[in-house]
Amino acid sequence: MNRNRSEKRRVATNWVNGYTATGTALVIAVCHIPGMATGVCVTIEGILCFQIGKIYRGSDYSMEDAAAAAASIGLASLVGTIVAIEAAALLGPLGWPIKGPLTAGLIKTLGELVIKYYESMDDP
């Protein structure tokens, strides 16, 4: 791994960790409102994919590029976790503590998938 790639990974990982913390805190704050966790997750995931794309592809990277990358990565495979987060609402207040850890795992996994995607594009 060259220095440039190593630096990109370090910066991207910092973004992933920051968005994991932010997304988890937001979901915990709105966990009592059905559907809000999905809105938070989708928004965080879109912004995260865009920011990591800019790190690896440069400043002219667009949201359209991020949407195409998300489709290629198969982010739809993470829908099950989002469903689980929302299903926790069916448990009422007993399900609220589950939403934070599920959200953290979802965002962290997404971020790592996006990083691997861009690094694989740079491999010879």
Side-chain angles (χ1 to χ4, degrees):
M1 185 186 304
N2 65 34
R3 180 184 276 252
N4 192 23
R5 185 174 184 180
S6 177
E7 179 64 12
K8 287 177 183 179
R9 177 175 269 283
R10 186 191 65 74
V11 172
T13 299
N14 286 341
W15 275 96
V16 170
N17 292 338
Y19 274 96
T20 298
T22 301
T24 301
L26 288 171
V27 166
I28 289 170
V30 299
C31 68
H32 59 286
I33 304 169
M36 287 300 293
T38 299
V40 167
C41 287
V42 168
T43 301
I44 291 287
E45 291 166 3
I47 295 169
L48 181 62
C49 191
F50 174 70
Q51 292 298 337
I52 293 173
K54 284 183 72 168
I55 292 165
Y56 281 91
R57 298 326 246 178
S59 61
D60 60 344
Y61 190 80
S62 69
M63 283 302 278
E64 291 79 23
D65 296 329
S72 294
I73 295 166
L75 299 184
S77 65
L78 298 174
V79 168
T81 305
I82 293 174
V83 170
I85 292 168
E86 290 302 336
L90 299 175
L91 300 172
L94 296 175
W96 296 347
I98 298 169
K99 287 186 171 190
L102 286 173
T103 300
L106 173 73
I107 296 170
K108 183 71 172 172
T109 299
L110 165 80
E112 293 301 320
L113 287 172
V114 174
I115 289 170
K116 286 180 183 178
Y117 172 78
Y118 286 109
E119 287 183 351
S120 73
M121 289 177 70
D122 291 339
D123 286 341

